[in-house]
Each structure stands twice: as C-alpha cells, then as structure tokens.
Amino acid sequence: MTSITKAACIGGGVIGGAWAARFLLGGIDVAMYDPHPDAQRIVGEVIANAERAYAMLTMAPLPSKGQLTFCATLEEAVDGADWIQESVPERLDLKRGVLTQIDAAAHPEALIGSSTSGIMPTELQRDMKHPERMFVAHPYNPVYLLPLAELVGGERTSKETLELAKARLAPIGMKGVILKKEIEAFVGDRLLEAVWREGLWLIHDDICDTETLDDVIRYSFGMRWAQMGLFETYRIAGGEAGMRHFLAQFGPCLSWPWTKLTDVVDLDDALVDKIAGQSDAQSGARGIRDLERIRDENLVGIMQALKAGDGGKGWGAGKILAEFEQHLWAKGGGAKAAPDIAAPLRLVDTRVSAAWVDYNGHMTEHRYLQVFGDTSDALLRLIGVDFAYVEAGHSYYTVETHIRHLGEAKLGQSLYATLQILSCDEKRIRFFSTIHDAATGKALATAEQLMLHVDSKAGKSVSAPADVLSRLTPIAQAHAELPVPDGAGRSVGQR
Ligand SMILES: NC(=O)c1ccc[n+]([C@@H]2O[C@H](COP(=O)([O-])OP(=O)(O)OC[C@H]3O[C@@H](n4cnc5c(N)ncnc54)[C@H](O)[C@@H]3O)[C@@H](O)[C@H]2O)c1
C-alpha cells in the first residue's frame, strides 16, 4: 500500500481536527495550522474522543501514534508534507486563497485535498500553479471512524492524482470513492440535502417534531442504509422480480409527487426557534462531547457487527474495517519484540467496548470467548500461522473450550490476556489462557482449549510442518517448567 509519511491539516475545526485524529492514529505525523486561539484545545478534545473510539474499535496492533505539531504559519505546516488537507470554513474566496497559498509552499508532488462539502474543485484550483494534484476529499464526520472520502477531480486534476489519493487512504482505514464527474455537493450531500429539505418541511408543517422525525429514520431505513444503501435495499423490496418490478411499482408515484423537494422552506426566525426548541427538548440534556461519545460507541458497535457480515467476510463499512485490521496485523502483528517464553505469554491488551456489554452492564459471555480467540490467534501468528498461511490452505481449528468466569469486566475496563501451553504434539496444542484486569492483574476468566492443525481444503487434521513446530516447541518446553495453572484439567461444576 502507498503510505502518507507526513500530513498537514490546514484548519482544525470539527473536520480538520478529526482528519488529524485519523492520520495520527494511523501512525502519521501531523502539522496543523489554525489561527483560532482555541484550536489546540478543540483538536485535543477531538483526538481524545478518537483514541477512546479506537480502543473500542479494534484489537489489531495500531501503529505508534503520530506526532502532532501546531505551526505558526501555513508554510511551516505544509513543509515536507505529502498529504495536505484543507478544512477551512466553506467560503470560496477563503478556500481559494488558502489553497493558492498551500500550492505555493508545498512540494509539487504533495497531494492537496479539500474537505469542502459542495464547492466544485475546478473553482477551487483556479489560481493554483500545480492544480493537477488538487482534488476534493470530502469526508464524513467523525472522520476518524467513518471510512468514506468522496474523491472528486476538477478540470485540471490528473487522473493519477485521484488513484494515488485512493491508494494512500486505504492504509489508514479509509475508502476513497472516485466520482466520474464533478458536481456541486458531490453525491452524499446531494442526497442529504434532499432528506434535509423534506425534513424541514415536515417540521414546518407540524407533521411531526424533530424527535419523531429522527425516530422514523433510526428505527427503520437508517438501519437499512447503513448496510445496503439505497439500490440494494430496493432490489430486495422488489421481491423475486427484483429491481424492474420495484421501479414499475413505485416509479409512477414520483410524478404525484409526495415530496416538496423543489420548494425552499423559509428558515425564518419562527422556524429556527421551533427547530432549536424541539432539538433542545430532544437532546439538550446532554453536552456535545457526551453526544459525540455516544455516537462513536454506536458507530463502533455497528462497524463491528458489519465486520461479522457475509459469513465473517465483512460487509459494507465492516469489510473496510476488516481490511484495515488485516493491514495492521500484517504491519505490526509480528513486529513486536519476542515475548518472554519463560512465563505465560502476554498476547492481547484490550478494553471492554460498548458493543461488548450486556443488560447487566458486564462484558457479555461470547466476548470472553472472542478475547480468548484473539489470544489463541496471537499465539498462532507467533508460530507463523498468519493470513498467508491460512490462505495457502492450512490452519489450526479450536475443537474444545472450557471457560471459567471468576470476576466481572465492565464497560471501558482495560484487560490483558496471557496464555500458557500445557502440551503439544505434531497436530495438537492444548493451552490455558487467562483474562486479567489490567489495573490489578486479577484473573477475571480462564479458558482451557485444544486446537488441531488441519488441512482446511481436505477438511481433516494433519501434522503441522516442521517450521511451525520449530517455533512452537521451545515455547511448550519452557512452559512445561511452569506450575500447572490452578483450574487446568478441571471439568464443569467440579469444586
Ligand atoms: N462539519 C461537517 O460535518 C463537515 C463534513 C464534511 C465536510 N465539511 C467541510 O469541512 C470544512 C470545515 O468545516 P468545519 O465544520 O470543520 O468548520 P469549523 O468552523 O469547525 O472549522 C474551520 C476551522 O478553520 C479555521 N480557519 C479559518 N480560517 C483559516 C485559515 N485561513 N487557515 C487555517 N485555518 C483557518 C477556523 O479557525 C476553524 O477552526 C468546510 O469546507 C466544510 O464544508 C464539514
């Protein structure tokens, strides 16, 4: 994958701060320029939220966080950067001026993305000397979690620039989607404006209040959109006859029409007061950072659920997350210092995410198994059983598990897991893992498991190859010197 080595963020508000968080947590150094006196505080708060979200999002080894530098001038910030992201307020004259200033100071090869929500890139690049490397990279808030950037070129943007931008976003977990033509507001904001416009009319006409409108979205098609978008959803709605039938059935209503999409609602004081009042009643009890944290927890939960979609291959944004994690494992998974084999191996450090908690407020049962599974996966990587090994047709399968629950893990609690090999031969590994509270080291759960080495295509167990055994055996020999852990070999219900 093509990587960004240094990013510059020009403008550090809602969007610029979240771009910075995406880069930093992807291991990229960021130079920020924003003249606002509170910029450092605001960006710091966004990054704190992003770090909290990433701790819940993935167990994959994130790279060491990049370094954030606040610069006194734009020129200082763009110096040496190979990705520059402009996120200043949405005014053509301001953006044009800033982009021209970036163009003059940046390395000619550096890519320059604008976060604009709707201005055409041809307009933005008008005064630039190297316009071929300038494009729109329109993200969605929070940029550090939502993977999409709409990539839009202007008349003078080169095709290679858009392809390169797409390639550079992938290693930081983003999905660049290249639009075929530039258009004001691109694809996402065109669609959102239609919903927004209609929503304003529904409030204006007293059909419902803001809370009811939001409920209609989040209890129904909002959930469908998150995983299948519009056309795939409607294909299913057409039943076995599919999309043609759907178009024939619902197409004619478009000419009635149901909506007021072409009318512009007058956002006069009365309507602004009405919407703001209803919104205060709906959500005013919580502060913005609080709402952001709830949003992030929900988004993490949705992305994790989608990662399990399509039989575990990942679906929609969950597929992007799965690909991001594969990239992280490939980069960082094996690179850590070899663990001390004279003690149980500490293989996983994690935190209880919101999506892991049940109605008791504790980590739900199957998440213990997930952490134990991540622990045994980490052992496998250590002995050379990685993605490439599995793709080539061999793996270890878990054939037996006995979990004991000894304590409670609560939302946000930091945990780590250790693993001790009890015995092994050419086909089998029997091992004992323990989930600990990171603050006290106290054991919260243990699992004794047996894995079999398999030829996954033939569907039968076979001996592991010599190179895998040569990595496994020294660990097993060292662990044979350790005391047998309390609870090993125990059957269910035994005192
Ligand atoms: N807020 C969203 O949900 C969203 C989503 C996608 C895209 N965008 C786009 O992102 C851009 C920024 O929007 P925002 O919501 O972050 O706005 P914002 O007002 O929160 O932040 C803009 C920042 O730019 C800074 N700034 C102003 N002039 C500057 C200059 N000359 N040089 C450097 N910094 C300067 C301001 O101090 C401020 O911190 C806009 O183009 C907007 O359309 C916003």
Side-chain angles (χ1 to χ4, degrees), residues 46 77 179 229 245 376 415 432:
V46 174
L179 303 194
H245 173 64
S376 52
L415 310 173
F432 190 88

Side-chain angles (χ1 to χ4, degrees), residues 37-61:
D38 286 339
Q40 296 210 22
R41 177 186 58 79
I42 295 169
V43 171
E45 286 177 9
V46 174
I47 292 169
N49 268 1
E51 286 191 273
R52 182 176 173 278
Y54 272 49
M56 297 185 286
L57 179 69
T58 183
M59 302 260 307

Side-chain angles (χ1 to χ4, degrees), residues 188-210:
D189 281 343
R190 289 244 153 179
L191 295 169
L192 286 177
E193 188 190 280
V195 176
W196 167 235
R197 196 182 275 250
E198 191 63 17
L200 291 176
W201 276 118
L202 292 167
I203 307 293
H204 176 271
D205 294 347
D206 276 330
I207 310 298
C208 62
D209 59 14
T210 56

Side-chain angles (χ1 to χ4, degrees), residues 11 13-15 33-36 87-90 95 98 115-117 138-139:
V14 174
I15 289 300
Y33 171 66
D34 188 319
H36 194 284
S87 310
V88 303
E90 190 78 346
K95 281 192 183 286
V98 166
S115 299
T116 177
S117 300
H138 177 231

